[in-house]
Amino acid sequence: MLVDSPPEPRAATAPAPPARRAVRPLGLLLSVVLLALVAVASIAIGAKALTLAQVWHGLFHGSGTYGDVVVDERLARTVLGLLAGAALGLSGAVLQALTRNPLADPGLLGINAGASAAVVTAISFFGVTSLSGYVWFAFLGAAAVGALVWFLGGSRGATPVRLALAGTAISAALYGYLQAVMIMDDAALGRMRFWTVGSLASASETTIVQVLPFLAVGGVLALGLARPLNAVTMGDDTARALGAHLNRTRALAMLAATVLCGAATAACGPIVFVGLMVPHAVRSFTGPDLRWILPYAAVLSPVLLLGADVIGRVVARPAELQVGIVTAVIGGPVFIFLVRRRRTAQL
């Protein structure tokens, strides 16, 4: 993926029109309402058809067959979808600001590849078979690759181009390693096949508890970087003139994106396009201000992820289609449209 040149400082610093300033708070409120509705749909709709009365009984009484389906399965995957969606949206928005590339996503810096390579290593060489074991290996793999990309990108002298190139090179190498191990180890291939497509089906209370601290820390850090990242998006010279600490901001942004994307990938597998589509779409009506892009991305990304999960449960009844497949089917055409629109705008 090519890295775009930095935007013009004037465009980045121009105040938002009065109409946009008035609409943004209302739009965020409506987004929260939409998220609540999608969350309710995620609990009420599934591969196993239940009436609303049965869902209500299972949710608030939590016993018997309905309780097992609604609480142990649907409620857990809905909560994990909320957390993972917000993490992917925030990490995508942070990386787009960090690389000054509106078409960047968490996979650009190799974080998904690091998590996947760590999981296949755990399965093939250490005999790990449980999801609770995958989580820690995947998170450590994502963190290690994030640190390596930062080092190869120049650490204190890191630039958006260097970070993107380092991430692309490491991703290619790790995916080659992943494919080689899976070809040589049939057992690893069988277990990885489900994890690599991205799914919320294996969600459990244990998984949520394991990743929640990382997602909370990463989310707070990402939201706290909104103002300094606004300066970074205007170019190095302008950011320095505004008093921004470029190296510190980039290091913290890398840390936030790695923690968020690493934890989400560890729990759900690599889910594509969520971190690309939502921040990019949000920017079209919030403007370039990350103080609004980040909250919108944190709210609307779970809407996309949970909506895709509900679609996957319905279209293939009584089986289900993994959410990673649904987001890829949706995201492919959307990504092509975004690229073509951007290319047309530059002509």
Side-chain angles (χ1 to χ4, degrees), residues 232-256:
V232 170
T233 60
M234 291 187 283
D236 292 1
D237 294 338
T238 303
R240 290 191 185 96
L242 293 173
H245 299 279
L246 286 175
N247 294 330
R248 184 176 66 187
T249 300
R250 285 173 178 154
L252 291 176
M254 275 289 298
L255 177 62

Side-chain angles (χ1 to χ4, degrees), residues 77-341:
R77 73 191 292 169
T78 299
V79 173
L80 183 59
L82 288 169
L83 295 174
L88 292 172
L90 283 173
S91 63
V94 168
L95 289 177
Q96 287 176 11
L98 178 64
T99 61
R100 298 204 292 270
N101 180 0
L103 297 180
D105 73 337
L108 180 66
L109 298 186
I111 297 173
N112 285 347
S116 300
V119 168
V120 77
T121 300
I123 293 172
S124 185
F125 297 107
F126 296 100
V128 178
T129 57
S130 66
L131 181 64
S132 59
Y134 296 166
V135 167
W136 294 108
F137 275 92
F139 182 76
L140 289 174
V145 169
L148 182 59
V149 168
W150 176 249
F151 174 76
L152 294 178
S155 57
R156 290 184 176 275
T159 64
V161 174
R162 288 181 180 179
L163 292 174
L165 290 176
T168 301
I170 292 174
S171 293
L174 288 178
Y175 278 125
Y177 162 77
L178 188 149
Q179 295 298 324
V181 173
M182 291 174 65
I183 289 173
M184 294 186 293
D185 188 341
D186 292 338
L189 174 61
R191 286 191 286 266
M192 279 292 295
R193 185 170 51 192
F194 179 78
W195 187 84
T196 52
V197 297
S199 175
L200 299 175
S202 299
S204 66
E205 182 181 350
T206 302
T207 304
I208 294 171
V209 170
Q210 287 177 330
V211 300
L212 182 58
F214 299 104
L215 296 177
V217 171
V220 171
L221 181 57
L223 292 170
L225 288 171
R227 188 179 294 274
L229 279 175
N230 274 340
V232 170
T233 60
M234 291 187 283
D236 292 1
D237 294 338
T238 303
R240 290 191 185 96
L242 293 173
H245 299 279
L246 286 175
N247 294 330
R248 184 176 66 187
T249 300
R250 285 173 178 154
L252 291 176
M254 275 289 298
L255 177 62
T258 299
V259 169
L260 287 168
C261 184
T265 303
C268 309
I271 298 176
V272 297
F273 287 118
V274 174
L276 184 155
M277 286 191 295
V278 176
H280 190 85
V282 162
R283 192 178 292 105
S284 65
F285 57 85
T286 63
D289 192 345
L290 284 155
R291 292 174 297 179
W292 288 101
I293 292 175
L294 291 173
Y296 265 98
V299 173
L300 291 178
S301 294
V303 171
L304 173 61
L305 188 60
L306 288 177
D309 190 44
V310 171
I311 293 172
R313 291 184 238 170
V314 172
V315 297
R317 279 179 173 171
E320 65 177 66
L321 205 59
Q322 281 73 29
V323 66
I325 298 175
V326 179
T327 58
V329 171
I330 297 173
V334 172
F335 180 71
I336 293 172
F337 169 75
L338 293 176
V339 172
R340 288 183 60 86
R341 187 180 69 171

Side-chain angles (χ1 to χ4, degrees), residues 4-14 100 230-231 233-235 238 288 342:
D4 293 306
S5 58
E8 291 294 330
R10 174 179 291 182
T13 58
R100 298 204 292 270
N230 274 340
T233 60
M234 291 187 283
T238 303
R342 183 170 181 79

